[in-house]
Every structure is written in structure tokens, then in C-alpha cells.
Amino acid sequence: MVDVVGRYFGAYNAHDLDALMGCYCSKPVAVGPGGPAEGRSEVASYHTGTWQAFPDVHVTVLQKVVDGEATAVTAVGTGRHTGPFPLTTGDVLQSTGRYVSVRCCWFFIVQDDLIVNQQVFYDQLELYLQLGLPLSRLGPAT
């Protein structure tokens, strides 16, 4: 039997929104560098936005550690940027055509075999530089 986190990554890599959302509880919370997404429609919108920006995005799981309701996953996300991608500065980066490969970490809370909370962490600077953004565009110097 495949656990819900395994199903999540299978659905994510297949870009199957229905299967992906079937991994979540009725009121999930997902947090990433762009901020929190609360509820099924916001979480679904977050995923579809990522798939629009990187239509061939694929996540390769490197390691998974489970401790009760908590699951931590290290992975590498790869894909080509061909659609609009919202930056944490509030700007939207249009297609660069660049291929990216970024290490990331997910942390899930699972209850009753459904994801209730998910947090994803990745090095935004690494991603932005791979997308060709100059350091001066990443925000004001302090």
C-alpha cells in the first residue's frame, strides 16, 4: 500500500489535480515561500500555478522520514520555466525558457491518511538565479 505522501508525489508528477487534491483533508493548509494557501481551492490554485509556470516540473524524492503523523521529504524539483511565475517580490516573471533544478524539503502532517498541513522549503535565491534574475531584481538592498 502506498502512503498518502507517496500518492501525493505520484499525482504531483502526473500533474493530476483531482488525484492530488484527493490526498488532502477537507481544510488543508499549505505553506511555501509565497505564503500560506488555506482551504482546498487555494491549495489547488497553488499547484495549478506551479504547473503553468513549469509544465514539465518533476519531483524526485531523495529521502523520506516518517515519525507518527509527521513526514519529512528531501527532493529535487526540475523543470523548464515556460509560463508566468509569481515571485515573492509581487512581480510575475514571464517565461524564460530556462531549465531549473532545485533541492527542496517538504514537511507534511498526516491524519487519517490525508494531508492536513504541508510546508515546502527551497532556496529561492538558487531558483531565481537559475531563472536568470539579476540580484538587483530580487529586492531592495538593506
Side-chain angles (χ1 to χ4, degrees):
M1 178 171 145
V2 177
D3 68 293
V4 69
V5 172
R7 289 194 324 265
Y8 169 89
F9 284 108
Y12 186 90
N13 285 334
H15 299 202
D16 183 338
L17 187 61
D18 290 335
L20 186 73
M21 293 311 296
C23 297
Y24 289 99
C25 71
S26 61
K27 295 181 182 178
V29 174
V31 180
E38 297 182 17
R40 294 179 66 77
S41 66
E42 285 187 17
V43 171
S45 179
Y46 171 80
H47 290 300
T48 56
T50 300
W51 293 335
Q52 288 171 350
F54 299 91
D56 63 346
V57 67
H58 181 85
V59 174
T60 301
V61 173
L62 302 174
Q63 184 176 21
K64 181 169 74 169
V65 177
V66 179
D67 184 13
E69 294 180 339
T71 301
V73 172
T74 60
V76 175
T78 58
R80 188 165 306 280
H81 174 231
T82 61
F85 180 62
L87 303 173
T88 55
T89 61
D91 296 325
V92 175
L93 179 64
Q94 298 303 318
S95 171
T96 63
R98 290 177 176 249
Y99 177 82
V100 298
S101 177
V102 178
R103 291 183 65 98
C104 29
C105 179
W106 271 266
F107 187 78
F108 298 92
I109 299 297
V110 175
Q111 295 173 349
D112 299 322
D113 202 33
L114 293 172
I115 298 167
V116 297
N117 186 291
Q118 154 194 336
Q119 297 186 41
V120 62
F121 304 92
Y122 59 87
D123 185 336
Q124 295 171 65
L125 180 59
E126 177 183 28
L127 174 63
Y128 288 6
L129 291 176
Q130 287 184 35
L131 289 171
L133 291 171
L135 289 177
S136 61
R137 185 156 173 213
L138 301 181
T142 55

